[in-house]
Amino acid sequence: MAINQLIQSFNAGELSPLLDARTTLEKYGSGCLALENFLIRPYGGVDRRPGTEYLGRAKYANKQCRLIGFNFSTTTRFILEFGEQYIRFWSNGLQVADPNSGQPLEVSTNYLECELRQIQYVQINDVMYLVHPLHAVRKLSRIADNNWTCTDVSWTWPAFLDENTSAIKITPS
């Protein structure tokens, strides 16, 4: 005969496999082995994770793309559509348009479709640094909501070169 136990709360979240069968722990009764696609409420219950919203088509229907969030502030947010050798921008449920042509705003990149999943990034205010093992570091800058640039980063750190070939000297103290 199966025994069903009522779990009234999930506020302990997901428990590590190292805690399997540790019923003497207080949090054991309010935790889960796996809780995917749910949001845990502070008072114990769970809700389904909200889904995504269809806003429009990508540039190429037959190629994969990658979506990356860009949050400049609590009121200014973008979704970046990375595709084969381009980035397009979405904001407030609409595709950002080029102010001159009215076409979707787009900046060119050198990332191929098969390389999109390997892109790593970090955002600082209105600048996002893009790193890929096969390409130089790129700097994506938001100048205005409808004005973006993507350029190579030129590192000018003489103090970190292998050999000091200039008059710059560092004297530790």
Side-chain angles (χ1 to χ4, degrees), residues 124-144:
I124 303 167
N125 298 326
D126 57 354
V127 174
M128 181 178 278
Y129 291 94
L130 307 169
V131 179
H132 189 278
L134 301 177
H135 301 283
V137 178
R138 306 276 296 184
K139 178 180 173 183
L140 179 66
S141 302
R142 175 191 160 271
I143 299 163

